[in-house]
PDB file of all heavy atoms in Angstrom:
ATOM      1  N   THR A  67       0.642  21.636  -4.297  1.00 95.00           N
ATOM      2  CA  THR A  67       1.041  20.490  -5.109  1.00 95.00           C
ATOM      3  C   THR A  67      -0.082  19.458  -5.205  1.00 95.00           C
ATOM      4  O   THR A  67       0.108  18.386  -5.761  1.00 95.00           O
ATOM      5  CB  THR A  67       2.308  19.824  -4.532  1.00 95.00           C
ATOM      6  OG1 THR A  67       2.086  19.531  -3.157  1.00 95.00           O
ATOM      7  CG2 THR A  67       3.523  20.734  -4.662  1.00 95.00           C
ATOM      8  N   PRO A  85       9.402  22.056   2.586  1.00 93.00           N
ATOM      9  CA  PRO A  85      10.146  21.715   1.366  1.00 93.00           C
ATOM     10  C   PRO A  85       9.251  21.529   0.149  1.00 93.00           C
ATOM     11  O   PRO A  85       9.533  22.065  -0.918  1.00 93.00           O
ATOM     12  CB  PRO A  85      10.865  20.418   1.746  1.00 93.00           C
ATOM     13  CG  PRO A  85      10.977  20.445   3.233  1.00 93.00           C
ATOM     14  CD  PRO A  85       9.791  21.228   3.743  1.00 93.00           C
ATOM     15  N   VAL A  86       8.170  20.768   0.322  1.00 95.00           N
ATOM     16  CA  VAL A  86       7.403  20.390  -0.863  1.00 95.00           C
ATOM     17  C   VAL A  86       6.693  21.591  -1.509  1.00 95.00           C
ATOM     18  O   VAL A  86       6.366  21.553  -2.693  1.00 95.00           O
ATOM     19  CB  VAL A  86       6.427  19.236  -0.500  1.00 95.00           C
ATOM     20  CG1 VAL A  86       5.205  19.738   0.249  1.00 95.00           C
ATOM     21  CG2 VAL A  86       6.049  18.433  -1.712  1.00 95.00           C
ATOM     22  N   HIS A  93      13.987  26.364  -1.092  1.00 95.00           N
ATOM     23  CA  HIS A  93      13.823  24.913  -1.099  1.00 95.00           C
ATOM     24  C   HIS A  93      15.139  24.198  -0.808  1.00 95.00           C
ATOM     25  O   HIS A  93      15.196  23.234  -0.045  1.00 95.00           O
ATOM     26  CB  HIS A  93      13.266  24.447  -2.451  1.00 95.00           C
ATOM     27  CG  HIS A  93      13.252  22.964  -2.593  1.00 95.00           C
ATOM     28  ND1 HIS A  93      14.234  22.264  -3.254  1.00 95.00           N
ATOM     29  CD2 HIS A  93      12.413  22.019  -2.093  1.00 95.00           C
ATOM     30  CE1 HIS A  93      13.982  20.970  -3.183  1.00 95.00           C
ATOM     31  NE2 HIS A  93      12.878  20.794  -2.479  1.00 95.00           N
ATOM     32  N   ARG A  97      15.419  21.695   2.279  1.00 94.00           N
ATOM     33  CA  ARG A  97      15.663  20.285   1.964  1.00 94.00           C
ATOM     34  C   ARG A  97      16.968  19.813   2.603  1.00 94.00           C
ATOM     35  O   ARG A  97      17.033  18.714   3.161  1.00 94.00           O
ATOM     36  CB  ARG A  97      15.687  20.079   0.446  1.00 94.00           C
ATOM     37  CG  ARG A  97      15.816  18.623   0.068  1.00 94.00           C
ATOM     38  CD  ARG A  97      15.535  18.396  -1.386  1.00 94.00           C
ATOM     39  NE  ARG A  97      15.942  17.057  -1.766  1.00 94.00           N
ATOM     40  CZ  ARG A  97      15.131  16.099  -2.182  1.00 94.00           C
ATOM     41  NH1 ARG A  97      13.861  16.304  -2.311  1.00 94.00           N
ATOM     42  NH2 ARG A  97      15.592  14.912  -2.500  1.00 94.00           N
ATOM     43  N   PHE A 104      18.115  11.494   6.634  1.00 92.00           N
ATOM     44  CA  PHE A 104      18.079  10.373   5.693  1.00 92.00           C
ATOM     45  C   PHE A 104      19.467  10.036   5.149  1.00 92.00           C
ATOM     46  O   PHE A 104      19.609   9.663   3.986  1.00 92.00           O
ATOM     47  CB  PHE A 104      17.117  10.694   4.537  1.00 92.00           C
ATOM     48  CG  PHE A 104      15.728  10.960   5.021  1.00 92.00           C
ATOM     49  CD1 PHE A 104      15.270  12.260   5.199  1.00 92.00           C
ATOM     50  CD2 PHE A 104      14.874   9.918   5.351  1.00 92.00           C
ATOM     51  CE1 PHE A 104      13.998  12.521   5.675  1.00 92.00           C
ATOM     52  CE2 PHE A 104      13.595  10.163   5.832  1.00 92.00           C
ATOM     53  CZ  PHE A 104      13.163  11.467   5.997  1.00 92.00           C
ATOM     54  N   GLN A 148       9.526   4.592  11.808  1.00 94.00           N
ATOM     55  CA  GLN A 148      10.077   5.957  11.816  1.00 94.00           C
ATOM     56  C   GLN A 148       9.696   6.759  13.056  1.00 94.00           C
ATOM     57  O   GLN A 148      10.141   7.901  13.222  1.00 94.00           O
ATOM     58  CB  GLN A 148       9.580   6.719  10.582  1.00 94.00           C
ATOM     59  CG  GLN A 148      10.056   6.106   9.266  1.00 94.00           C
ATOM     60  CD  GLN A 148       9.387   6.755   8.066  1.00 94.00           C
ATOM     61  OE1 GLN A 148       9.821   7.790   7.601  1.00 94.00           O
ATOM     62  NE2 GLN A 148       8.314   6.159   7.594  1.00 94.00           N
ATOM     63  N   ILE A 228       6.799  16.123   6.485  1.00 92.00           N
ATOM     64  CA  ILE A 228       7.528  14.857   6.629  1.00 92.00           C
ATOM     65  C   ILE A 228       6.617  13.759   7.184  1.00 92.00           C
ATOM     66  O   ILE A 228       6.624  12.626   6.690  1.00 92.00           O
ATOM     67  CB  ILE A 228       8.716  15.019   7.601  1.00 92.00           C
ATOM     68  CG1 ILE A 228       9.639  16.136   7.147  1.00 92.00           C
ATOM     69  CG2 ILE A 228       9.467  13.715   7.807  1.00 92.00           C
ATOM     70  CD1 ILE A 228      10.712  15.736   6.240  1.00 92.00           C
ATOM     71  N   ALA A 231       4.043  12.572   4.678  1.00 87.00           N
ATOM     72  CA  ALA A 231       4.733  11.806   3.625  1.00 87.00           C
ATOM     73  C   ALA A 231       5.193  10.460   4.169  1.00 87.00           C
ATOM     74  O   ALA A 231       5.074   9.430   3.512  1.00 87.00           O
ATOM     75  CB  ALA A 231       5.930  12.591   3.107  1.00 87.00           C
ATOM     76  N   ALA A 232       5.701  10.463   5.396  1.00 87.00           N
ATOM     77  CA  ALA A 232       6.306   9.252   5.952  1.00 87.00           C
ATOM     78  C   ALA A 232       5.274   8.188   6.268  1.00 87.00           C
ATOM     79  O   ALA A 232       5.559   6.996   6.191  1.00 87.00           O
ATOM     80  CB  ALA A 232       7.070   9.614   7.227  1.00 87.00           C
ATOM     81  N   THR A 235       1.791   7.406   2.366  1.00 93.00           N
ATOM     82  CA  THR A 235       2.108   6.825   1.061  1.00 93.00           C
ATOM     83  C   THR A 235       2.781   5.452   1.181  1.00 93.00           C
ATOM     84  O   THR A 235       2.469   4.531   0.442  1.00 93.00           O
ATOM     85  CB  THR A 235       3.047   7.759   0.286  1.00 93.00           C
ATOM     86  OG1 THR A 235       4.000   8.270   1.201  1.00 93.00           O
ATOM     87  CG2 THR A 235       2.299   8.904  -0.337  1.00 93.00           C
ATOM     88  N   ALA A 236       3.702   5.336   2.140  1.00 95.00           N
ATOM     89  CA  ALA A 236       4.464   4.084   2.231  1.00 95.00           C
ATOM     90  C   ALA A 236       3.547   2.925   2.633  1.00 95.00           C
ATOM     91  O   ALA A 236       3.725   1.792   2.179  1.00 95.00           O
ATOM     92  CB  ALA A 236       5.621   4.247   3.211  1.00 95.00           C
ATOM     93  N   ALA A 239       1.788   1.844  -0.442  1.00 97.00           N
ATOM     94  CA  ALA A 239       2.676   1.089  -1.337  1.00 97.00           C
ATOM     95  C   ALA A 239       2.845  -0.340  -0.812  1.00 97.00           C
ATOM     96  O   ALA A 239       2.882  -1.303  -1.583  1.00 97.00           O
ATOM     97  CB  ALA A 239       4.026   1.782  -1.446  1.00 97.00           C
ATOM     98  N   LEU A 281       0.448  15.087  -8.954  1.00 98.00           N
ATOM     99  CA  LEU A 281       1.238  16.185  -8.381  1.00 98.00           C
ATOM    100  C   LEU A 281       0.881  17.432  -9.171  1.00 98.00           C
ATOM    101  O   LEU A 281       0.920  17.411 -10.404  1.00 98.00           O
ATOM    102  CB  LEU A 281       2.736  15.902  -8.501  1.00 98.00           C
ATOM    103  CG  LEU A 281       3.270  14.716  -7.693  1.00 98.00           C
ATOM    104  CD1 LEU A 281       4.735  14.469  -8.037  1.00 98.00           C
ATOM    105  CD2 LEU A 281       3.124  14.961  -6.195  1.00 98.00           C
ATOM    106  N   ARG A 283       1.314  21.502 -10.206  1.00 98.00           N
ATOM    107  CA  ARG A 283       2.195  22.658 -10.297  1.00 98.00           C
ATOM    108  C   ARG A 283       1.374  23.798 -10.887  1.00 98.00           C
ATOM    109  O   ARG A 283       0.319  23.571 -11.474  1.00 98.00           O
ATOM    110  CB  ARG A 283       3.393  22.383 -11.216  1.00 98.00           C
ATOM    111  CG  ARG A 283       4.296  21.225 -10.766  1.00 98.00           C
ATOM    112  CD  ARG A 283       5.062  21.567  -9.511  1.00 98.00           C
ATOM    113  NE  ARG A 283       6.085  20.577  -9.193  1.00 98.00           N
ATOM    114  CZ  ARG A 283       5.944  19.606  -8.292  1.00 98.00           C
ATOM    115  NH1 ARG A 283       4.811  19.475  -7.617  1.00 98.00           N
ATOM    116  NH2 ARG A 283       6.937  18.778  -8.048  1.00 98.00           N
ATOM    117  N   THR A 333       6.588   7.486  -9.516  1.00 98.00           N
ATOM    118  CA  THR A 333       5.919   7.314  -8.225  1.00 98.00           C
ATOM    119  C   THR A 333       6.540   8.158  -7.119  1.00 98.00           C
ATOM    120  O   THR A 333       5.841   8.635  -6.222  1.00 98.00           O
ATOM    121  CB  THR A 333       5.948   5.814  -7.831  1.00 98.00           C
ATOM    122  OG1 THR A 333       5.194   5.114  -8.820  1.00 98.00           O
ATOM    123  CG2 THR A 333       5.365   5.563  -6.457  1.00 98.00           C
ATOM    124  N   LEU A 334       7.865   8.339  -7.172  1.00 98.00           N
ATOM    125  CA  LEU A 334       8.527   9.131  -6.129  1.00 98.00           C
ATOM    126  C   LEU A 334       8.830  10.547  -6.627  1.00 98.00           C
ATOM    127  O   LEU A 334       9.616  11.269  -6.026  1.00 98.00           O
ATOM    128  CB  LEU A 334       9.816   8.435  -5.679  1.00 98.00           C
ATOM    129  CG  LEU A 334       9.614   7.019  -5.096  1.00 98.00           C
ATOM    130  CD1 LEU A 334      10.951   6.314  -4.897  1.00 98.00           C
ATOM    131  CD2 LEU A 334       8.852   7.069  -3.773  1.00 98.00           C
ATOM    132  N   GLY A 335       8.162  10.946  -7.703  1.00 98.00           N
ATOM    133  CA  GLY A 335       8.369  12.282  -8.248  1.00 98.00           C
ATOM    134  C   GLY A 335       9.583  12.326  -9.160  1.00 98.00           C
ATOM    135  O   GLY A 335      10.125  11.288  -9.563  1.00 98.00           O
ATOM    136  N   MET A 338      13.849  18.307  -8.513  1.00 97.00           N
ATOM    137  CA  MET A 338      14.363  18.744  -7.209  1.00 97.00           C
ATOM    138  C   MET A 338      13.509  18.319  -6.019  1.00 97.00           C
ATOM    139  O   MET A 338      13.991  18.241  -4.901  1.00 97.00           O
ATOM    140  CB  MET A 338      14.531  20.242  -7.198  1.00 97.00           C
ATOM    141  CG  MET A 338      13.214  20.952  -7.271  1.00 97.00           C
ATOM    142  SD  MET A 338      13.485  22.608  -6.830  1.00 97.00           S
ATOM    143  CE  MET A 338      15.044  22.832  -7.624  1.00 97.00           C
ATOM    144  N   HIS A 339      12.220  18.023  -6.264  1.00 97.00           N
ATOM    145  CA  HIS A 339      11.369  17.579  -5.159  1.00 97.00           C
ATOM    146  C   HIS A 339      11.316  16.051  -5.059  1.00 97.00           C
ATOM    147  O   HIS A 339      10.490  15.529  -4.311  1.00 97.00           O
ATOM    148  CB  HIS A 339       9.957  18.137  -5.324  1.00 97.00           C
ATOM    149  CG  HIS A 339       9.891  19.621  -5.123  1.00 97.00           C
ATOM    150  ND1 HIS A 339       9.920  20.199  -3.869  1.00 97.00           N
ATOM    151  CD2 HIS A 339       9.833  20.633  -6.005  1.00 97.00           C
ATOM    152  CE1 HIS A 339       9.862  21.518  -4.002  1.00 97.00           C
ATOM    153  NE2 HIS A 339       9.814  21.811  -5.280  1.00 97.00           N
ATOM    154  N   CYS A 341      11.360  12.464  -4.036  1.00 97.00           N
ATOM    155  CA  CYS A 341      11.083  12.062  -2.650  1.00 97.00           C
ATOM    156  C   CYS A 341      12.356  11.961  -1.787  1.00 97.00           C
ATOM    157  O   CYS A 341      13.271  11.204  -2.097  1.00 97.00           O
ATOM    158  CB  CYS A 341      10.371  10.721  -2.657  1.00 97.00           C
ATOM    159  SG  CYS A 341      10.003  10.137  -1.005  1.00 97.00           S
ATOM    160  N   GLY A 343      12.471  10.684   1.066  1.00 95.00           N
ATOM    161  CA  GLY A 343      12.470   9.403   1.773  1.00 95.00           C
ATOM    162  C   GLY A 343      12.680   8.224   0.839  1.00 95.00           C
ATOM    163  O   GLY A 343      12.481   7.068   1.246  1.00 95.00           O
ATOM    164  N   VAL A 347      12.074   4.351   1.715  1.00 97.00           N
ATOM    165  CA  VAL A 347      10.922   3.639   1.166  1.00 97.00           C
ATOM    166  C   VAL A 347      11.364   2.327   0.538  1.00 97.00           C
ATOM    167  O   VAL A 347      10.752   1.278   0.718  1.00 97.00           O
ATOM    168  CB  VAL A 347      10.241   4.511   0.079  1.00 97.00           C
ATOM    169  CG1 VAL A 347       9.274   3.705  -0.741  1.00 97.00           C
ATOM    170  CG2 VAL A 347       9.571   5.702   0.705  1.00 97.00           C
TER     171      VAL A 347
HETATM  172  C1  LIG B   1       5.996   4.780  -1.099  1.00 75.22           C
HETATM  173  C2  LIG B   1       6.111   5.826  -0.311  1.00 75.22           C
HETATM  174  C3  LIG B   1       6.300   7.226  -0.789  1.00 75.22           C
HETATM  175  C4  LIG B   1       5.877   7.796  -1.943  1.00 75.22           C
HETATM  176  C5  LIG B   1       5.067   7.163  -3.058  1.00 75.22           C
HETATM  177  C6  LIG B   1       6.349   9.162  -1.943  1.00 75.22           C
HETATM  178  C7  LIG B   1       6.152  10.047  -2.974  1.00 75.22           C
HETATM  179  C8  LIG B   1       6.674  11.308  -3.022  1.00 75.22           C
HETATM  180  C9  LIG B   1       6.543  12.204  -4.143  1.00 75.22           C
HETATM  181  C10 LIG B   1       5.790  11.896  -5.427  1.00 75.22           C
HETATM  182  C11 LIG B   1       7.191  13.342  -3.837  1.00 75.22           C
HETATM  183  C12 LIG B   1       7.352  14.572  -4.735  1.00 75.22           C
HETATM  184  C13 LIG B   1       6.373  15.663  -4.374  1.00 75.22           C
HETATM  185  C14 LIG B   1       6.385  16.772  -5.396  1.00 75.22           C
HETATM  186  O1  LIG B   1       7.140  16.731  -6.378  1.00 75.22           O
HETATM  187  O2  LIG B   1       5.592  17.727  -5.240  1.00 75.22           O
HETATM  188  C15 LIG B   1       7.719  13.189  -2.503  1.00 75.22           C
HETATM  189  C16 LIG B   1       8.411  14.152  -1.822  1.00 75.22           C
HETATM  190  C17 LIG B   1       8.786  14.014  -0.508  1.00 75.22           C
HETATM  191  N1  LIG B   1       8.768  12.858   0.239  1.00 75.22           N
HETATM  192 FE1  LIG B   1       8.028  11.087  -0.315  1.00 75.22          FE
HETATM  193  N2  LIG B   1       7.022   9.398  -0.785  1.00 75.22           N
HETATM  194  C18 LIG B   1       7.011   8.249  -0.051  1.00 75.22           C
HETATM  195  C19 LIG B   1       7.561   8.071   1.183  1.00 75.22           C
HETATM  196  C20 LIG B   1       8.217   9.015   1.893  1.00 75.22           C
HETATM  197  C21 LIG B   1       8.801   8.791   3.175  1.00 75.22           C
HETATM  198  C22 LIG B   1       8.834   7.462   3.947  1.00 75.22           C
HETATM  199  C23 LIG B   1       9.331   9.961   3.558  1.00 75.22           C
HETATM  200  C24 LIG B   1      10.084  10.144   4.824  1.00 75.22           C
HETATM  201  C25 LIG B   1       9.904  10.895   5.738  1.00 75.22           C
HETATM  202  C26 LIG B   1       9.070  10.937   2.513  1.00 75.22           C
HETATM  203  C27 LIG B   1       9.415  12.264   2.525  1.00 75.22           C
HETATM  204  C28 LIG B   1       9.254  13.157   1.482  1.00 75.22           C
HETATM  205  C29 LIG B   1       9.599  14.567   1.537  1.00 75.22           C
HETATM  206  C30 LIG B   1      10.160  15.310   2.727  1.00 75.22           C
HETATM  207  C31 LIG B   1       9.303  15.098   0.287  1.00 75.22           C
HETATM  208  C32 LIG B   1       9.487  16.542  -0.172  1.00 75.22           C
HETATM  209  C33 LIG B   1      10.806  16.662  -0.850  1.00 75.22           C
HETATM  210  C34 LIG B   1      11.030  18.027  -1.453  1.00 75.22           C
HETATM  211  O3  LIG B   1      10.066  18.773  -1.654  1.00 75.22           O
HETATM  212  O4  LIG B   1      12.196  18.331  -1.749  1.00 75.22           O
HETATM  213  N3  LIG B   1       8.399  10.310   1.516  1.00 75.22           N
HETATM  214  N4  LIG B   1       7.414  11.930  -2.043  1.00 75.22           N
END
Side-chain angles (χ1 to χ4, degrees):
T67 53
V86 78
H93 172 262
R97 185 167 168 116
F104 301 98
Q148 297 172 84
I228 304 271
T235 41
L281 294 174
R283 299 291 190 261
T333 297
L334 300 170
M338 67 165 38
H339 291 283
C341 179
V347 166

